[in-house]
């Protein structure tokens, strides 16, 4: 074969059509799935949010308008829904991160391989059971006649529980009817999604790196704050995207546990169903996407992905 | 104690007269499960010495180093650093710094921050630590790369950063765990020269782990040859090469033919003979003859394999001397009987 001068197209030098496109063919099904079903529906949703609804007939008017978004941000109750959901998602994410980090560190660093497998099993075990079953189980646990009230009474801690429930905003008539109860259920349900990415990030940090830190004179606490935590931040960021966006979009838990007051997921559900205002439902579902986008930009600026 | 009148220049001494060794291991043993990784190692490393732990993988040399660094606990035996019992000293309290085999640089910090780390955690002010770290980077000839991330450096540059980072706090003892293992040959040879120069400039003690006998020989004041968790022989490179005590040391350090007494015309024992001490010049009175089974041209020298009485003897001879030789030729083997080294084992 000649390699000098102008390249002459040769049959043998070029892989056949089948060889070249075979990988693409293999990817066709997942690409179609992602491209058409997922991105397509997302773009369709985005498009719908720029339509309006005829006030008289209740029909969707397929014409570009910003009136739906105007309605979304100018109605105080809608702003309340967005603020309530975002605050809950932030609180749940923070609590998950604080609870998950020590557990993930323990599993990643301090156990032997056999115990590690057991721990990972235990962490993911709740995911085996139906989400609905677990949420309703929590409703029973948190109810006025539930296990927690009963245990508090036996331990003579009813006063503490009542004090907690009498707090403004997070309190309520019972744990099952309070934002605090809802917060507990959210934290419980999404915790595995925070632990696993943090654990994976910590596993990727070579032990020699933390040993080098100690070798250079850093006390264990210094090694944690300067080396371990920064290197695990991508995992925390990944986990927080799960917990944050899952809370933003959930519409079951706020309906089963917690104080009255709509969450974004419920608004989407109601608007596209009973209210029949598909454009407003679409506009509401854009909100979590925008918030998660802003959140990603924020953690990126914090340097969460520097270690990647 | 009063000084004797005959020696008025002597100062009266009350403390221990000798300088404590930088490292003193006494009967050190490390057991992991059923494996005795280190099995009764005793050694003394003087201050300012370049000391190598040489041996094949799994011989216990790295474990020894990790015990000195404080990353592994001894099962029994003692470790003294500069005269102080180190058993209860955590890694961060030892006057020791380490250059790790995989460099273990902090990926989320700049090169300069990596080098300054030991000063940062000790609370040294920013201006001073950046000045010191910058000077240390100059020493390893990376002055202009301080703002880069470790991922943006080549293997050789990372190795230098690891060295600068370990040296910035002026440790009295530097541990190096196969620091040149990942580098190509040319770079490795250049770094060997540089490491030795840095060690002599700074005058600190180096403990160097390697499986490369050439590396150990070219840099070290003394070498301990490890085998199966024990020290097989300890000495200067010249002693190890010139007077190997066992077949293992003879072969591992420099390579040697291990020959029976009958083969070399002795009454008893086993003997080591270096390939370069054998000549193949035709000589009717030669003590040994054999059939050429292999010829490996290496440039200036040629490595010849000769089959003698069921054993393959290796000879390393000037290439010009064996131009006439072909496979299956008969050849004479000559040596000076004074070069034979009687081995203690086998």
């Amino acid at each position: 074969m000649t390699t000098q001068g102008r390249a002459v197209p040769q049959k043998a030098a070029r892989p056949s059509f089948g060889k070249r496109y075979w990988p693409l063919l293999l990817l066709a099904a997942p690409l179609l799935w992602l491209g058409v079903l997922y991105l397509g529906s997302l773009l369709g949703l985005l498009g719908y949010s720029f339509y309006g609804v005829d006030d008289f007939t209740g029909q969707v008017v397929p014409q570009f308008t910003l009136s739906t978004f105007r309605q979304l941000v100018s109605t105080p109750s809608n702003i309340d829904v967005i603020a309530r959901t975002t605050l809950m998602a932030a609180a749940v994410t923070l609590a998950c991160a604080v609870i998950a980090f020590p557990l993930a560190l323990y599993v990643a660093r301090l156990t032997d391989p056999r115990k590690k497998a057991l721990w990972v099993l235990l962490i993911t075990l709740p995911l085996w059971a139906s989400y609905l079953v677990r949420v309703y189980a929590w409703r029973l646990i948190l109810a006025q006649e539930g296990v927690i009230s009963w245990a508090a009474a036996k331990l003579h801690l009813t006063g503490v529980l009542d004090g907690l429930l009498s707090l403004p905003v997070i309190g309520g008539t019972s744990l099952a009817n309070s934002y605090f109860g809802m917060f507990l259920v959210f934290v419980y349900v999404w915790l595995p999604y925070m632990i696993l990415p943090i654990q994976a990030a910590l596993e990727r940090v070579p032990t020699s790196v933390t040993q080098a830190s100690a070798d250079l004179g850093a006390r264990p606490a210094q090694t944690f704050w300067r080396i371990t935590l920064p290197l695990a931040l991508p995992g925390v960021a990944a986990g927080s995207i799960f917990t944050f966006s899952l809370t933003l979009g959930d519409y079951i838990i706020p309906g089963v546990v917690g104080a009255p007051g709509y969450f974004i997921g419920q608004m989407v559900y109601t608007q596209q169903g009973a209210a029949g205002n598909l454009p407003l439902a679409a506009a509401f579902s854009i909100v979590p996407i925008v918030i998660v986008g802003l959140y990603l930009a924020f953690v990126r600026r914090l340097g969460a992905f520097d270690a990647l | 104690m009063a000084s004797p009148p005959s020696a008025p220049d002597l100062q009266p001494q009350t403390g221990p007269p000798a300088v404590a060794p930088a490292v003193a291991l006494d009967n050190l043993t490390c057991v992991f499960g059923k494996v005795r990784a280190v099995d009764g190692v005793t050694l003394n490393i003087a201050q300012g010495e370049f000391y190598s732990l040489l041996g094949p993988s799994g011989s216990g040399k790295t474990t020894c180093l990790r015990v000195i660094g404080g990353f592994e606990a001894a099962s029994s035996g003692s470790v003294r650093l500069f005269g102080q019992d180190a058993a209860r000293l955590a890694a961060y309290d030892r006057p020791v710094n380490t250059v790790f085999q995989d460099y273990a640089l902090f990926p989320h910090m700049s090169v300069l921050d990596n080098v300054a780390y030991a000063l940062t955690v000790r609370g040294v002010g920013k201006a001073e630590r950046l000045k010191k770290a910058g000077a240390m980077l100059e020493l390893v000839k990376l002055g202009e790369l301080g703002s880069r991330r470790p991922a943006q450096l080549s293997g050789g540059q990372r190795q230098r950063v690891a060295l600068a980072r370990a040296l910035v706090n002026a440790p009295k003892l530097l541990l190096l765990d196969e620091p040149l293992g990942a580098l190509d040959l040319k770079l490795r040879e250049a770094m060997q020269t540089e490491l030795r120069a840095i060690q002599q400039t700074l005058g600190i003690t180096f403990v160097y782990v390697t499986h490369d006998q050439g590396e150990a020989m070219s840099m070290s004041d003394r070498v301990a040859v490890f085998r199966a968790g024990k020290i097989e022989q300890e000495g200067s490179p010249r002693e190890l090469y010139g007077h190997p005590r066992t077949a293992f040391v003879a072969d591992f350090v420099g390579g040697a033919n291990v020959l029976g007494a009958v083969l070399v015309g002795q009454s008893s024992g086993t003997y080591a003979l270096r390939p370069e001490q054998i000549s193949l010049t035709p000589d009717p009175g030669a003590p040994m003859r054999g059939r050429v089974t292999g010829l490996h041209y290496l440039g200036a020298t040629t490595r010849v394999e000769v089959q003698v009485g069921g054993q393959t003897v290796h000879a390393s001879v000037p290439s010009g001397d064996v131009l006439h030789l072909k496979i299956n030729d008969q050849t004479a083997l000559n040596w000076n009987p004074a070069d034979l080294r009687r081995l203690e084992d086998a």
Side-chain angles (χ1 to χ4, degrees):
Chain A
M1 227 193 299
T2 174
T3 52
Q4 284 182 324
R6 186 168 297 212
V8 182
Q10 288 187 345
K11 270 204 166 146
R14 292 179 66 153
S16 68
F17 178 86
K19 269 201 175 135
R20 282 172 72 189
Y21 293 106
W22 180 235
L24 274 183
L25 224 68
L26 280 174
L27 280 175
L31 275 179
L32 273 176
W33 174 264
L34 260 179
V36 177
L37 290 173
Y38 184 77
L39 282 179
S41 60
L42 205 63
L43 287 175
L45 191 73
L46 188 67
Y48 247 99
S49 63
F50 290 107
Y51 289 168
V53 171
D54 189 298
D55 285 340
F56 290 111
T57 61
Q59 294 289 312
V60 174
V61 183
Q63 250 179 355
F64 178 83
T65 172
L66 289 173
S67 66
T68 310
F69 278 105
R70 216 172 292 128
Q71 185 192 350
L72 177 72
V73 297
S74 63
T75 314
S77 65
N78 286 347
I79 298 295
D80 279 354
V81 169
I82 294 170
R84 186 181 298 133
T85 314
T86 310
L87 278 176
M88 178 60 81
V92 167
T93 299
L94 196 68
C96 280
V98 169
I99 298 169
F101 205 98
L103 250 168
L105 190 64
Y106 177 78
V107 175
R109 277 295 156 82
L110 305 172
T111 57
D112 62 65
R114 255 191 323 161
K115 279 196 203 138
K116 184 178 289 183
L118 187 70
W119 271 101
V120 171
L121 190 79
L122 284 175
I123 289 164
T124 51
L125 199 61
L127 301 179
W128 297 11
S130 158
Y131 160 87
L132 266 181
V133 170
R134 287 180 294 142
V135 173
Y136 275 104
W138 267 98
R139 177 160 185 94
L140 294 179
I141 293 170
L142 297 173
Q144 203 145 28
E145 322 76 41
V147 177
I148 293 184
S149 304
W150 174 81
K154 288 282 173 199
L155 295 168
H156 307 288
L157 291 173
T158 307
V160 177
L161 189 60
D162 288 344
L164 187 72
L165 289 174
S166 67
L167 290 175
V169 185
I170 65 165
T173 53
S174 73
L175 275 175
N177 294 320
S178 68
Y179 283 129
F180 185 71
M182 193 197 290
F183 165 81
L184 287 181
V185 178
F186 269 130
V187 169
Y188 160 78
V189 169
W190 306 142
L191 193 59
Y193 297 97
M194 183 65 95
I195 297 174
L196 294 178
I198 298 178
Q199 186 219 338
L202 286 168
E203 301 262 8
R204 278 203 304 270
V205 178
T207 46
S208 65
V209 169
T210 44
Q211 283 175 351
S213 173
D215 181 72
L216 293 164
R219 320 229 133 225
Q222 287 176 308
T223 298
F224 177 81
W225 289 110
R226 291 181 181 278
I227 307 294
T228 311
L229 186 62
L231 289 179
L233 266 188
V236 180
S240 68
I241 288 162
F242 283 129
T243 57
F244 194 68
S245 57
L246 285 169
T247 310
L248 279 182
D250 193 86
Y251 73 104
I252 304 280
I253 292 173
V256 177
V257 185
Y262 273 119
F263 276 63
I264 290 177
Q266 292 170 297
M267 282 306 277
V268 174
Y269 184 74
T270 315
Q271 291 298 333
Q272 65 88 32
N277 192 340
L278 211 51
L280 188 59
F284 255 114
S285 53
I286 299 297
V287 171
I289 298 175
V290 172
I291 294 176
V292 170
L294 290 174
Y295 176 71
L296 267 178
F298 171 71
V299 294
R300 196 194 144 101
R301 283 200 69 143
L302 278 186
F305 303 118
D306 284 7
L308 283 183
Chain B
M1 207 189 290
S3 54
S6 57
D9 53 326
L10 274 181
Q11 295 296 311
Q13 287 192 337
T14 48
V19 180
V23 180
L25 303 183
D26 185 21
N27 208 14
L28 181 75
T29 299
C30 291
V31 183
F32 302 122
K34 287 177 183 164
V35 184
R36 294 177 86 82
V38 177
D39 191 2
V41 165
T42 298
L43 56 79
N44 286 291
I45 302 173
Q47 293 193 23
E49 201 172 14
F50 196 124
Y51 192 98
S52 287
L53 313 181
L54 171 68
S57 53
S59 60
K61 57 193 193 302
T62 296
T63 308
C64 254
L65 194 79
R66 293 176 60 78
V67 172
I68 299 171
F71 306 118
E72 219 79 73
S75 307
S76 66
S78 77
V79 182
R80 298 182 80 81
L81 300 174
F82 301 95
Q84 190 189 3
D85 186 5
R88 295 233 175 83
L89 284 183
Y92 49 82
D93 278 331
R94 299 187 179 209
V96 173
N97 284 129
T98 307
V99 177
F100 289 82
Q101 189 169 12
D102 61 357
Y103 313 144
L105 299 179
F106 306 130
H108 58 302
M109 293 182 194
S110 72
V111 164
L112 196 64
D113 286 340
N114 261 279
V115 176
Y117 188 78
L119 306 172
T120 311
V121 296
R122 277 181 174 78
V124 175
K126 189 170 183 181
E128 191 190 343
R129 69 173 189 251
L130 289 185
K131 199 178 116 213
K132 278 191 175 173
M136 209 35 86
L137 274 179
E138 293 292 339
L139 180 78
V140 298
K141 298 170 191 159
L142 287 178
E144 70 285 8
L145 296 183
S147 59
R148 296 238 188 126
R149 288 292 171 95
Q152 297 169 300
L153 302 183
S154 70
Q157 290 168 334
R158 283 181 213 182
Q159 206 284 323
R160 284 156 190 269
V161 176
L163 182 65
R165 187 181 67 174
L167 286 172
V168 78
N169 207 37
K172 292 200 281 180
L173 172 60
L174 189 71
L175 310 178
L176 302 102
D177 184 8
E178 307 227 10
L180 309 181
L183 305 183
D184 63 62
L185 184 64
K186 267 253 185 288
L187 204 52
R188 202 154 71 217
E189 284 173 350
M191 278 306 291
Q192 285 170 15
T193 316
E194 230 171 283
L195 274 178
R196 182 63 168 155
I198 287 173
Q199 189 256 342
Q200 283 173 343
T201 311
L202 301 177
I204 59 182
T205 313
F206 273 36
V207 180
Y208 193 99
V209 161
T210 180
H211 63 263
D212 181 337
Q213 55 98 14
E215 202 166 281
M217 301 282 275
S218 70
M219 291 191 288
S220 315
D221 295 314
R222 278 194 303 152
V223 179
V225 182
F226 275 69
R227 183 193 191 189
K230 291 184 161 84
I231 294 181
E232 187 97 348
Q233 190 174 348
E234 184 196 38
S236 72
R238 276 173 194 283
E239 282 165 10
L240 291 176
Y241 185 79
H243 298 277
R245 277 212 298 266
T246 65
F248 177 81
V249 174
D251 191 43
F252 200 79
V253 179
N257 295 294
V258 176
L259 306 169
V262 182
L263 216 55
V264 292
Q266 303 290 320
S267 55
S268 67
T270 313
Y271 295 83
L273 188 61
R274 301 282 177 197
E276 58 273 24
Q277 290 166 337
I278 299 177
S279 87
L280 300 179
T281 42
D283 174 5
M288 201 192 276
R289 297 187 70 77
R291 183 170 61 86
V292 176
T293 55
L295 283 164
H296 305 282
Y297 177 73
L298 302 172
T301 62
T302 295
R303 202 166 171 85
V304 187
E305 289 161 19
V306 185
Q307 189 79 22
V308 182
Q311 187 176 358
T312 301
V313 176
H314 295 266
S316 179
V317 295
S319 290
D321 291 2
V322 290
L323 291 174
H324 61 284
L325 271 189
K326 294 187 297 293
I327 301 282
N328 285 331
D329 279 1
Q330 288 290 320
T331 183
L333 294 95
N334 260 312
W335 63 83
N336 180 353
D339 288 336
L340 286 174
R341 290 285 173 266
R342 186 167 178 162
L343 301 172
E344 288 172 8
D345 60 345

